[in-house]
């Protein structure tokens, strides 16, 4: 075969390679646009350095994976099969397929909190089926329209680049763009090395945001060159919760309700799953248009832990210390908002019928008063393979909840949005308002297991260091690396009310 510079084969291959670079530039722009979804899917960085790292990583990483896709697919095809018309068609099809996969992955990450992987395929199929088929025809039409637009873009970009190749070659901006991408790539990895060495979590927490992201780890690299303070590194990462005996330090509350609450809310806590099912079925049948079902309530290890979270608006990590101190819920001490009828374990809390928020042990009250605002929740002990339970309510704001809910989220939301005491809830509780939160994530510690979740992904860490990640909706195990930065942040949140001498 004649491969001299003047041969027709060599000339076509050279032109196709030049065209391929411009075609890749066009796709880098499209990928950058689509990958913005990942940046908005999680909480934003809280520092300027975190924002800067997010920007340069977004530019460099998305450009890198797009270029790699070109090198692995279109580039070898151009050498093996250098026929412009056919290559442009195949490239448009391959690029469309890649963009569709990226779009699906971005949608899955936005909805579930993790990327496409073999173990999550059943959950992804369910999500896509419910979105495209189970909801409305409009969603299906929009999806097909998006597919058509992507394919049209690829065909137009490929044809334009080929027809104007000589004109495009005269432009100098690709050199500056390439230099910018390479600089961002080097800066992002250097910043990550520094952040990992100094436990700067505003950067390291972004490790799993973009797809196919495997940032450089600093510990072995810097230790090899004596540039890492091992003691400082280990101290920053030694945030274990190996003991459930955390000493609770009650926060100083400076807020009370802005006005006298006009609403009363009753929370029925069922420690028997059978009793809850019987009561909920009856309530749904009787008031089917007014009673709402919440299907994603995260169970605690036992009913006592869940009941504690309901009463105090705190993870059960603090239960033993609070019961030992016989600490009345801080949010009710100066406001007399709580009314309880509970078992002996919480008998030190003064029983009153004048509070705006009433928490009842439903073993005593199996009948739900459907004429008043209520939440009924199943707090029975979890089974080994079941992590989520359910609740029913006739309060509309709870029906708008998305993502996982913990018992203390219900109490926090009741105090913040139902009773109008948001500042008081913020100061005295560790939970989220399921009405106003933008991202569903949380942490708990029950029966010696650390539970951290983000959207649909639950991570369980045992005291021996073993862990399991699973889907909340489907219950199957997820493969993948442990998200250490997220866990460290979760543990810091969990220990917010820990007494200094216990840290």
């Amino acid at each position: 075969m004649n491969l001299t510079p003047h041969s027709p084969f060599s000339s076509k291959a050279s032109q196709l390679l030049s065209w391929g670079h411009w075609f890749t530039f066009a796709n880098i722009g499209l990928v950058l646009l689509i990958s913005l979804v990942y940046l908005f899917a999680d909480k934003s960085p809280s520092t300027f350095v975190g924002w800067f790292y997010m920007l340069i990583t977004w530019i460099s990483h998305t450009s890198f994976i797009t270029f790699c896709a070109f090198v692995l697919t279109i580039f070898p095809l151009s050498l093996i099969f250098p026929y412009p018309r056919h290559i442009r068609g195949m490239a448009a099809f391959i690029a469309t397929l890649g963009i569709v996969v990226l779009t699906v992955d971005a949608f899955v990450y936005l909805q579930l909190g993790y990327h496409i992987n073999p173990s999550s395929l059943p959950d992804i199929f369910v999500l896509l089926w419910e979105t495209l088929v189970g909801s409305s025809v409009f969603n299906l039409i929009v999806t097909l329209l998006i597919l058509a637009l992507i394919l049209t873009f690829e065909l137009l970009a490929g044809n334009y680049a080929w027809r104007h190749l000589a004109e495009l070659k005269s432009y100098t901006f690709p050199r500056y763009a390439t230099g910018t991408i390479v600089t961002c790539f080097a800066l992002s990895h250097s910043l990550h090395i520094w952040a990992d060495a100094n436990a700067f979590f505003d950067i390291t927490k972004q490790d799993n945001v973009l797809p196919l992201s495997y940032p450089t780890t600093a510990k072995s690299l810097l230790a090899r060159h004596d540039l890492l303070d091992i003691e400082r590194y280990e101290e920053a990462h030694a945030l274990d919760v190996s003991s459930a005996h955390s000493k609770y330090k009650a926060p100083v509350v400076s807020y009370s309700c802005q006005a006298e609450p006009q609403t009363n809310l009753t929370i029925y806590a069922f420690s028997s799953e059978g009793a809850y099912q019987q009561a909920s079925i009856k309530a749904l049948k009787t008031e089917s248009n007014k009673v709402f079902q919440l299907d994603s309530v995260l169970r605690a290890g036992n009913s006592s832990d869940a009941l504690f979270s309901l009463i105090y608006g705190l993870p059960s990590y603090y239960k033993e210390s609070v019961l030992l101190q016989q600490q009345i819920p801080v949010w009710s001490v100066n406001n007399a908002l709580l009314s309880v009828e509970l078992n002996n374990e919480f008998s030190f809390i003064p029983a009153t019928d004048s509070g705006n928020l009433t928490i009842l042990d439903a073993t005593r009250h199996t009948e739900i008063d459907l004429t008043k605002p209520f939440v009924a929740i199943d707090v029975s002990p979890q089974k080994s393979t079941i992590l989520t339970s359910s609740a029913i309510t006739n309060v509309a704001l709870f029906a708008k909840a998305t993502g996982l809910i913990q018992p203390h989220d219900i109490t926090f939301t009741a105090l913040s949005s139902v009773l109008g005491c948001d500042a008081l809830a913020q100061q005295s509780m560790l939970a989220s308002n399921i009405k106003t939160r933008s991202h569903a994530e949380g942490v708990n510690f029950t029966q010696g297991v650390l539970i951290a979740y983000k959207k649909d992904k639950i991570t369980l860490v045992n005291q021996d260091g073993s862990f399991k990640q699973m889907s909340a909706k489907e219950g199957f195990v997820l493969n993948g690396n442990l998200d250490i930065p997220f866990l460290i942040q979760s543990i810091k949140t969990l220990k917010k009310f820990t007494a200094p001498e216990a840290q």
Side-chain angles (χ1 to χ4, degrees):
M1 182 179 292
N2 185 6
L3 290 178
T4 62
H6 302 289
S7 70
F9 184 90
S10 177
S11 177
K12 286 183 179 180
S14 177
Q15 284 185 307
L16 281 172
L17 290 179
S18 180
W19 165 85
H21 285 89
W22 285 103
F23 183 69
T24 303
F25 262 116
N27 276 283
I28 285 175
L30 182 58
V31 169
L32 283 171
L33 182 64
I34 295 173
S35 60
L36 284 172
V37 174
Y38 296 106
L39 306 187
F40 291 106
D42 290 318
K43 289 182 178 179
S44 302
S46 57
T47 64
F48 172 78
V49 177
W51 276 100
F52 179 70
Y53 174 80
M54 183 178 72
L55 175 64
I56 62 177
T57 303
W58 168 64
I59 293 173
S60 61
H61 185 73
T62 52
S63 301
F64 176 74
I65 60 175
T66 307
F67 183 73
C68 285
F70 162 74
V71 170
L72 295 174
T73 56
I74 301 173
F75 175 73
L77 284 174
S78 300
L79 295 177
I80 299 171
F81 194 69
Y83 298 97
R85 182 176 298 179
H86 298 85
I87 287 295
R88 296 203 306 271
M90 287 188 290
F93 176 78
I94 293 170
T96 299
L97 182 62
I99 294 296
V100 168
V101 171
L102 177 69
T103 304
V104 171
D105 183 76
F107 177 71
V108 169
Y109 188 83
L110 181 66
Q111 297 294 321
L112 303 178
Y114 46 81
H115 298 287
I116 295 175
N117 62 83
S119 62
S120 66
L121 288 179
D123 202 20
I124 293 170
F125 287 144
V126 171
L127 174 64
L128 295 179
W129 179 266
E130 291 178 350
T131 303
L132 300 179
V133 181
S135 55
S136 66
V137 179
F138 177 76
N139 287 354
L140 184 59
I141 294 174
V142 170
T143 301
L144 295 175
L145 182 61
I146 291 174
L147 287 174
L149 287 174
I150 293 174
L151 181 59
T152 302
F153 171 84
E154 298 298 343
L155 291 171
L156 291 176
N159 288 331
Y160 182 88
W162 181 255
R163 293 177 181 177
H164 298 81
L165 189 57
E167 179 185 347
L168 292 173
K169 284 181 179 180
S170 64
Y171 294 157
T172 58
F173 82 86
R175 287 181 293 177
Y176 300 109
T178 303
T180 300
I181 291 171
V182 171
T183 302
C184 288
F185 187 84
L187 272 176
S188 65
H189 281 269
S190 299
L191 269 177
H192 190 276
I193 291 172
W194 169 82
D196 192 20
N198 292 275
F200 190 77
F201 302 119
D202 206 36
I203 286 179
T204 57
K205 72 180 181 181
Q206 302 178 43
D207 285 359
N208 298 317
V209 174
L210 295 173
L212 302 176
S213 181
Y214 299 97
T216 304
T217 181
K219 188 173 182 181
S220 58
L221 176 64
L222 298 188
R224 190 186 312 128
H225 296 282
D226 296 324
L227 297 176
L228 176 64
D229 185 340
I230 295 294
E231 291 183 0
R232 183 180 177 189
Y233 183 92
E234 291 181 347
E235 179 183 357
H237 288 70
L239 294 173
D240 67 278
V241 284
S242 56
S243 172
H245 306 292
S246 170
K247 188 171 183 181
Y248 172 69
K249 181 182 180 181
V252 177
V253 175
S254 57
Y255 289 95
S256 58
C257 294
Q258 294 180 352
E260 185 68 24
Q262 301 299 313
T263 304
N264 293 328
L265 176 68
T266 302
I267 299 179
Y268 297 86
F270 287 84
S271 56
S272 166
E273 185 176 8
Y276 168 77
Q277 293 293 342
Q278 184 178 0
S280 63
I281 290 172
K282 181 179 179 180
L284 288 168
K285 284 184 177 179
T286 306
E287 298 283 347
S288 58
N289 296 326
K290 296 180 181 179
V291 177
F292 311 98
Q293 181 99 28
L294 307 179
D295 294 321
S296 298
V297 180
L298 194 60
R299 290 175 184 253
N302 58 36
S303 56
S304 176
D305 286 356
L307 196 55
F308 170 84
S309 293
L310 271 175
I311 299 167
Y312 289 87
L314 296 171
S316 51
Y317 178 64
Y318 295 101
K319 187 184 76 170
E320 184 170 334
S321 177
V322 168
L323 296 184
L324 187 64
Q325 299 175 50
Q326 295 196 345
Q327 171 73 54
I328 298 173
V330 173
W331 56 270
S332 185
V333 170
N334 299 321
N335 300 274
L337 296 169
L338 178 63
S339 174
V340 297
E341 289 187 33
L342 301 167
N343 58 30
N344 293 332
E345 191 174 24
F346 301 98
S347 60
F348 61 87
I349 301 176
T352 175
D353 57 1
S354 60
N356 299 91
L357 180 60
T358 302
I359 300 177
L360 301 176
D361 183 352
T363 55
R364 304 180 183 180
H365 301 266
T366 55
E367 289 293 325
I368 299 174
D369 187 348
L370 302 176
T371 64
K372 298 178 181 179
F374 77 89
V375 176
I377 179 174
D378 176 13
V379 296
S380 60
Q382 68 178 32
K383 298 176 183 177
S384 58
T385 57
I386 299 178
L387 286 173
T388 54
S389 179
S390 65
I392 56 171
T393 180
N394 62 352
V395 181
L397 72 89
F398 286 105
K400 300 176 181 178
T402 57
L404 288 172
I405 301 168
Q406 297 196 83
H408 39 294
D409 292 332
I410 292 176
T411 311
F412 186 102
T413 306
L415 187 62
S416 176
S417 295
V418 179
L419 304 185
C421 309
D422 182 63
L424 181 60
Q426 294 282 354
Q427 279 200 328
S428 60
M429 297 183 183
L430 284 178
S432 62
N433 190 325
I434 60 179
K435 176 187 177 183
T436 60
R437 67 185 182 184
S438 57
H439 301 94
E441 62 181 51
V443 62
N444 209 332
F445 185 85
T446 176
Q447 301 297 288
V449 179
L450 173 69
I451 304 172
Y453 71 88
K454 182 189 294 184
K455 298 182 180 178
D456 183 58
K457 181 180 180 180
I458 301 176
T459 302
L460 307 173
V461 184
N462 298 315
Q463 289 179 296
D464 60 3
S466 61
F467 70 93
K468 179 168 65 174
Q469 300 180 108
M470 58 193 307
S471 165
K473 288 183 178 179
E474 303 299 326
F476 56 78
V477 176
L478 295 169
N479 297 325
N481 296 326
L482 197 61
D483 190 348
I484 296 296
F486 172 66
L487 283 181
I488 292 175
Q489 282 197 320
S490 298
I491 295 170
K492 281 188 172 182
T493 300
L494 181 68
K495 300 181 77 173
K496 179 180 178 180
F497 295 146
T498 302
E501 60 269 23
Q503 289 183 331

